[in-house]
Amino acid sequence: MEQLYTRWGKTLDADHVLQEYPRPLLKRDSYVNLNGYWDYTVTKQFKRPEKYDGRILVPFSPESALSGVGRQLQPDEYLWYRIQDGRFSPDWEKLDQGMRLILHFGAVDQSCRVYVNGREAAKHTGGYLPFSADITEYLGKASNEILAAVKDLSDTSYHAKGKQKLKKGGMFYTAQSGIWQTVWMEYVPGCHITELAAEPDLNRKLVRICVRSALDLPVKIQICAPAICQQGHEKECAVIAEGSGTSNRYIELPIPEVRPWTCGEPWLYEYTVTMGEDRAESYFALRTFTVEPDETGIPRICMNGEVQFQNGVLDQGYWPDGLYTAPSDEAMIFDIREMKKLGFNMIRKHIKIEPQRWYYHCDRLGMVVWQDIVNGGTCYRHWFVTYAATLISWRKWNMADIYPRLLSRTHKEGRLEFVREMKETIRLLKGHPSIAVWVIFNEGWGQFQTEDMTRIARECDGTRLIDQASGWFDQKGGDLQSIHNYFFKLEFTAEKERATVLSEFGGYSLRVEQHSACRKLYGYGTHKTMESLNAAYKKQMQKVKEQIPNGLCASVYTQLSDVEEEMNGIFTYDREVCKLRL
């Protein structure tokens, strides 16, 4: 494999890595970024290290080039991180005034224990979800140290893993481990805002906001008129609604100036919450995603009550130099903007959870998101979930999800973990207006009790559409008839209740010399020239358009960029060459 770098990776400043505020839906002035060089080592035993192998650039995984390590963590190893005085120095003036210091990890894959000055402050399992700890009581005025120990079983267990595989190849990619999202701290009052939950209601022209905290305290909310959208329309922020109430209870506020969120004009309402000495900022948008019959009775996906064909692209979220971690905020923005320029209005985030800033950029730029729940389960039986399943889908046979061995779901602990993480994923991301669809299972990978999972997801969020089984092993539930088709003739029969979507297709491959990561090539139809690939793409897109009158409501082209052996991207892996000439 040849090491590629993006333009952002080439110019990376190790002293200023991903410095932007990492949590746009609950933003404070207090913010200390801990990205940068930490000490690291790898051991065979779970024992505090006496020495370290070197430095690792956080938040890049040790497998990535940008980390400076370039080493695959194995399931029988422990990865240790350490940061000490100088990089980690508490502000005692704030702490002496009664403030608390909260330590946040955006994501650590898979299991992590955090020690502050030798005392355990937090432990967490789940490689895609954030966790935090109040470390105030563990601090010392003389010196301080944060130590994190990581264990990653990768694809040898039932934990969530996405496309990670220790033996990478084809549609599976380099396994990640350790810290791969921003590490940061903030100072907060003793009783502070822990979460902001906004439930906009476009039809009733109002929003319901819940300010969550440990104690029930008085809160004040101010909402500003939308100040900016993608087109660059700006105006002075003006307060259009105010309200007060008590934390942990919903406060309903009418919106006198309604500007619906659309892909063309993604208006965002900013609001400020004050609770005692704490103050936080957030935003919401007024929009709806529904399935409604058109004038002929065909179920259609609608945004704000109007039919919208969602022309999407599959996005794995991998980078050649940072792997799971984009090298910069600008890199994330580049992907979203370039897809919009090419005419796509939707991105399917494929079995990965991005840092929240990625969703924020989709919110403000007007890009609809289909969010996959990250798959888990033990080793997949590829002959079944790939080859046999493709035949089953082509013959339009239905298969019940009652075969846990075939679908790699024999461990009760793994099933319960999936439920917990699905709930947490929805809770974490439901505030982002760009998200239109929750995709629960993909191609049978770790699939189980599909109807139960659909019901649970609906209880967590009744405002989005649900794709319960993308590709195959459909159980006839959810809101979408979700089809993958890489090999067969595009023909669809609309259902009476669910919208019909082509949730994966295309995947045409083309190697671009000096912009490819390896010699092997994987895809769904190989081309040797740009002209050939573009002709095939345009021909396939024309077939997709011809199916819209028959009931097709969305399509997802595979994929946004090349990833390792998969060279079926619209862009090369380094994002330097766009293969489509539209």
Side-chain angles (χ1 to χ4, degrees):
M1 180 176 289
E2 303 171 18
Q3 181 57 57
L4 288 180
Y5 285 87
T6 63
R7 68 191 75 167
W8 307 280
K10 291 176 182 177
T11 59
L12 186 72
D13 180 356
D15 294 324
H16 300 88
V17 178
L18 293 164
Q19 294 291 298
E20 294 82 8
Y21 197 94
R23 190 186 57 193
L25 286 174
L26 202 172
K27 186 176 180 181
R28 291 187 177 91
D29 293 334
S30 168
Y31 170 53
V32 180
N33 189 297
L34 293 179
N35 291 341
Y37 283 112
W38 292 44
D39 299 323
Y40 90 95
T41 193
V42 175
T43 66
K44 287 287 189 178
Q45 294 181 329
F46 185 73
K47 182 180 179 181
R48 179 188 173 90
E50 296 181 358
K51 60 180 182 178
Y52 289 82
D53 295 336
R55 299 193 304 168
I56 183 170
L57 187 58
V58 170
F60 300 105
S61 73
E63 293 80 8
S64 71
L66 291 179
S67 72
V69 177
R71 182 194 194 283
Q72 176 70 65
L73 186 71
Q74 297 299 320
D76 62 346
E77 296 177 326
Y78 295 91
L79 171 62
W80 298 82
Y81 294 83
R82 182 181 68 175
I83 188 173
Q84 295 176 300
D85 288 313
R87 289 290 326 284
F88 165 51
S89 300
D91 186 334
W92 283 102
E93 182 178 348
K94 292 180 179 178
L95 295 173
D96 289 341
Q97 293 173 356
M99 302 286 280
R100 312 293 295 182
L101 183 56
I102 311 297
L103 174 64
H104 298 274
F105 288 84
V108 182
D109 196 1
Q110 287 170 324
S111 298
C112 181
R113 288 178 181 264
V114 180
Y115 302 88
V116 178
N117 295 328
R119 298 167 61 190
E120 185 175 278
K123 60 182 178 180
H124 182 263
T125 294
Y128 296 83
L129 294 167
F131 64 97
S132 60
D134 184 338
I135 63 172
T136 312
E137 301 303 325
Y138 307 115
L139 300 173
K141 291 201 172 183
S143 63
N144 287 281
E145 172 196 72
I146 297 175
L147 187 69
V150 175
K151 181 80 166 177
D152 188 357
L153 299 177
S154 193
D155 60 319
T156 67
S157 184
Y158 53 71
H159 298 300
K161 55 200 171 206
K163 285 288 194 84
Q164 301 182 67
K165 198 174 180 68
L166 289 169
K167 294 182 180 179
K168 62 188 177 186
M171 70 177 74
F172 294 96
Y173 320 131
T174 300
Q176 307 287 281
S177 62
I179 298 169
W180 65 275
Q181 290 188 24
T182 291
V183 185
W184 57 290
M185 303 188 303
E186 62 179 341
Y187 294 89
V188 298
C191 190
H192 55 274
I193 300 165
T194 57
E195 184 180 359
L196 296 175
E199 296 182 355
D201 190 328
L202 175 61
N203 296 326
R204 297 175 61 200
K205 299 181 181 180
L206 58 82
V207 63
R208 300 171 68 243
I209 296 175
C210 183
V211 182
R212 297 198 169 98
S213 61
L215 302 175
D216 295 343
L217 294 174
V219 298
K220 293 182 179 179
I221 302 173
Q222 285 189 332
I223 300 175
C224 289
I228 186 168
C229 77
Q230 182 202 13
Q231 277 68 23
H233 305 313
E234 295 189 37
K235 62 180 181 180
E236 184 178 349
C237 181
V239 176
I240 60 169
E242 294 183 274
S244 59
T246 305
S247 62
N248 302 312
R249 294 175 179 82
Y250 278 94
I251 300 167
E252 192 169 280
L253 296 132
I255 306 297
E257 185 177 340
V258 173
R259 290 181 179 270
W261 187 94
T262 66
C263 295
E265 290 193 327
W267 295 104
L268 302 177
Y269 291 79
E270 297 176 352
Y271 68 95
T272 302
V273 175
T274 305
M275 188 185 79
E277 298 178 354
D278 200 9
R279 181 182 181 276
E281 299 174 356
S282 188
Y283 65 90
F284 65 89
L286 293 162
R287 60 95 190 94
T288 60
F289 292 108
T290 55
V291 171
E292 302 176 27
D294 64 12
E295 63 275 6
T296 66
I298 294 175
R300 299 287 184 182
I301 294 176
C302 296
M303 175 192 284
N304 305 329
E306 297 183 1
V307 174
Q308 178 196 46
F309 184 84
Q310 296 193 348
N311 180 27
V313 61
L314 196 71
D315 181 14
Q316 313 282 358
Y318 265 77
W319 302 82
D321 40 15
L323 295 178
Y324 251 17
T325 309
S328 71
D329 213 48
E330 291 75 15
M332 289 189 280
I333 295 169
F334 175 87
D335 276 3
I336 300 165
R337 280 187 169 157
E338 290 303 309
M339 292 305 103
K340 288 208 74 170
K341 289 179 185 178
L342 290 170
F344 295 102
N345 60 11
M346 176 262 282
I347 292 175
R348 179 182 170 196
K349 180 54 63 175
H350 198 31
I351 46 184
K352 180 195 176 191
I353 300 173
E354 291 287 356
Q356 289 192 51
R357 288 197 64 82
W358 185 86
Y359 301 95
Y360 163 67
H361 293 311
C362 290
D363 294 341
R364 70 179 186 85
L365 295 174
M367 179 64 79
V368 172
V369 175
W370 289 18
Q371 177 61 50
D372 288 15
I373 305 300
V374 183
N375 57 297
T378 50
C379 183
Y380 302 140
R381 289 164 169 78
H382 291 288
W383 66 268
F384 181 70
V385 296
T386 300
Y387 306 113
T390 300
L391 176 62
I392 290 170
S393 67
W394 175 59
R395 296 299 298 268
K396 295 182 173 56
W397 296 334
N398 290 325
M399 193 197 84
D401 58 355
I402 56 174
Y403 305 100
R405 292 192 179 278
L406 288 175
L407 297 175
S408 307
R409 275 299 186 188
T410 57
H411 292 82
K412 181 179 180 181
E413 300 93 332
R415 298 193 297 271
L416 293 174
E417 182 178 86
F418 180 87
V419 173
R420 289 194 302 270
E421 293 187 353
M422 179 178 70
K423 289 180 177 179
E424 178 63 14
T425 299
I426 295 173
R427 186 199 65 78
L428 176 70
L429 299 180
K430 69 183 294 186
H432 292 283
S434 56
I435 297 178
V437 176
W438 302 115
V439 182
I440 300 178
F441 294 115
N442 178 74
E443 296 187 349
W445 298 351
Q447 185 170 340
F448 70 102
Q449 296 175 236
T450 309
E451 278 300 303
D452 290 336
M453 297 306 106
T454 304
R455 174 183 52 79
I456 292 169
R458 190 88 72 192
E459 290 171 353
C460 292
D461 181 12
T463 68
R464 263 88 173 196
L465 306 180
I466 293 178
D467 180 356
Q468 65 167 210
S470 183
W472 33 79
F473 305 145
D474 181 23
Q475 306 300 298
K476 301 299 182 181
D479 301 294
L480 307 179
Q481 177 189 200
S482 185
I483 299 163
H484 293 184
N485 190 336
Y486 289 105
F487 307 109
F488 309 118
K489 183 178 180 181
L490 293 182
E491 291 181 328
F492 306 98
T493 302
E495 295 188 344
K496 293 182 179 180
E497 302 292 336
R498 300 189 303 173
T500 300
V501 301
L502 181 59
S503 46
E504 285 188 33
F505 80 106
Y508 301 136
S509 294
L510 172 69
R511 180 197 302 280
V512 179
E513 292 298 332
Q514 299 181 341
H515 299 279
S516 301
C518 53
R519 302 308 303 173
K520 287 185 177 181
L521 186 150
Y522 179 89
Y524 305 98
T526 302
H527 296 266
K528 295 184 178 180
T529 66
M530 292 277 194
E531 291 74 18
S532 173
L533 181 139
N534 276 265
Y537 174 82
K538 291 175 182 178
K539 182 178 180 180
Q540 192 76 330
M541 288 305 295
Q542 180 59 38
K543 292 179 180 179
V544 168
K545 292 177 182 178
E546 291 171 358
Q547 291 299 319
I548 295 176
N550 297 332
L552 187 63
C553 299
S555 64
V556 181
Y557 181 79
T558 302
Q559 59 185 334
L560 189 150
S561 75
D562 294 348
V563 184
E564 299 182 348
E565 290 181 13
E566 271 199 321
M567 297 186 195
N568 50 16
I570 293 171
F571 272 85
T572 53
Y573 200 11
D574 58 5
R575 273 63 166 186
E576 285 301 316
V577 179
C578 180
K579 303 177 191 179
L580 293 187
R581 302 287 186 262
L582 303 181

